[in-house]
Amino acid sequence: MHSFPAPAQKIVESMQAAAAAEPQRAIAFQGSPGANSHRAATEAAPDHLPLPCFSFEDALEAVKDGRASRAIIPIENSQHGRVADIHFLLPESGLSIIGEYFMPIHHALMGLGKGPFEAAYSHPQALGQSRFFLRERGIVPLSYADTAGAAAFVSEKGDPKLGAIAPAIAAELYNLQIIEENVEDSADNMTRFVVLADKPQDPATLNGKDAITTFVFEVKNIPAALYKAMGGFATNGVNMTKLESYQKGTSFSATAFYADIIGAPGDPAVDRALEELAFHSKELRVLGSYAQARTRGSAG
């Protein structure tokens, strides 16, 4: 399946038409209207026109094809970890990260009737973030491409025994009843989004600002390769706020890493650290430098 449910399709077509008329103002997101990514798009870029896309790849393609000037993608959640495989999607797309946005996430249980529900559809992330709530009620979690799309699908199916876990606005869009709000298992549920464009932001524009630089790298296949690659950040006092490993290919012999650091190229300490990293790596690709939307190490 690679299409939106019928209740969402008319809204999608209207939004696509508006974006097509002004592609320079369009911001692509993955999901149906009413999804958390839709909300993030309108909050992070209120002067842009949200363009719904079925998949993450479709959202990135919209920018590459010129149908949107940027895209917004969720990459990690405070409660359930990685969302999109940005490590693979971004390098392959050729796009650059130009910004980030943090958004509190709240889910609602909704359906055509008041329940009880035998099963609930939603995106795997939302199901994971609400797993204790669902388990306590004996509701079977069923995966769907996105949260709002799940709500539209439940509306289309017309089965009162089926529910959806989705943002509250989806109930209004798809004529469902909200049974219970804030069903996420953690009150401080937060998702980090990145904003992507076809050209990187000039690091010089970040002078005087708290910045983040994101990159991926593959270490050489020698003993202590990662230790040596990381040494430049320690000796130059550059704070690394995220380091995550992933496998490239099926051989399991090459380990690659996704990382965030505080600072941007042009800062002598950052330049020295990246130069040393490149020396000890088979491949290094900077995915973008951009202003911090949230101070690292702060709960606010």
Side-chain angles (χ1 to χ4, degrees):
M1 182 187 68
H2 199 76
S3 61
F4 294 97
Q9 190 60 46
K10 289 185 178 180
I11 306 174
V12 169
E13 291 173 356
S14 175
M15 296 172 72
Q16 288 176 337
E22 297 183 82
Q24 72 281 2
R25 290 184 57 216
I27 178 168
F29 69 91
Q30 184 273 331
S32 300
N36 283 307
S37 290
H38 180 192
R39 178 185 154 206
T42 59
E43 292 181 9
D47 57 337
H48 280 61
L49 300 168
L51 172 62
C53 301
F54 188 80
S55 68
F56 291 124
E57 291 87 347
D58 293 340
L60 301 182
E61 283 292 334
V63 179
K64 293 171 64 177
D65 295 345
R67 290 179 287 119
S69 63
R70 57 186 64 184
I72 187 165
I73 301 291
I75 62 168
E76 57 185 324
N77 175 264
S78 61
Q79 186 178 338
H80 204 61
R82 185 191 303 176
V83 179
D85 282 325
I86 205 73
H87 331 72
F88 301 110
L89 293 175
L90 252 186
E92 293 173 0
S93 73
L95 302 182
S96 299
I97 303 176
I98 62 167
E100 63 176 359
Y101 185 71
F102 289 84
M103 191 175 79
I105 301 296
H106 300 291
H107 301 299
L109 174 65
M110 59 191 69
L112 288 168
K114 295 183 179 180
F117 298 122
E118 294 179 355
Y121 285 90
S122 196
H123 186 276
Q125 277 279 332
L127 294 174
Q129 293 161 22
S130 310
R131 63 185 182 278
F132 295 122
F133 173 88
L134 295 171
R135 186 183 304 161
E136 286 176 353
R137 288 155 182 80
I139 300 174
V140 177
L142 297 175
S143 180
Y144 200 81
D146 70 277
T147 54
F153 178 72
V154 167
S155 178
E156 182 181 25
K157 292 290 286 184
D159 187 343
K161 295 181 180 179
L162 296 178
I165 300 291
I169 189 176
E172 181 180 344
L173 288 174
Y174 305 119
N175 299 312
L176 299 177
Q177 295 184 50
I178 294 179
I179 308 306
E180 191 166 348
E181 296 194 62
N182 300 327
V183 301
E184 63 278 359
D185 296 325
S186 176
D188 59 353
N189 193 19
M190 180 81 69
T191 292
R192 179 191 178 203
F193 294 79
V194 290
V195 181
L196 312 168
D198 62 348
K199 294 181 180 179
Q201 184 171 353
D202 183 355
T205 64
L206 298 169
N207 288 342
K209 299 179 180 179
D210 293 329
I212 293 287
T213 294
T214 296
F215 52 89
V216 291
F217 65 97
E218 182 180 341
V219 295
K220 295 177 180 178
N221 192 18
I222 58 175
L226 181 60
Y227 174 81
K228 295 174 181 177
M230 295 291 95
F233 297 98
T235 56
N236 288 287
V238 176
N239 187 14
M240 180 170 287
T241 60
K242 184 177 181 66
L243 179 65
E244 186 172 294
S245 65
Y246 63 102
Q247 291 293 326
K248 294 182 66 176
T250 59
S251 68
F252 291 90
S253 62
T255 301
F257 296 86
Y258 166 97
D260 290 336
I261 60 171
I262 295 179
D267 179 328
V270 171
D271 289 342
R272 289 192 298 268
L274 290 176
E275 182 179 2
E276 188 165 343
L277 173 63
F279 179 79
H280 292 291
S281 300
K282 292 173 59 178
E283 181 182 3
L284 168 63
R285 184 179 299 189
V286 175
L287 301 181
S289 297
Y290 46 96
Q292 288 188 50
R294 182 182 175 91
T295 301
R296 299 310 194 258
S298 170

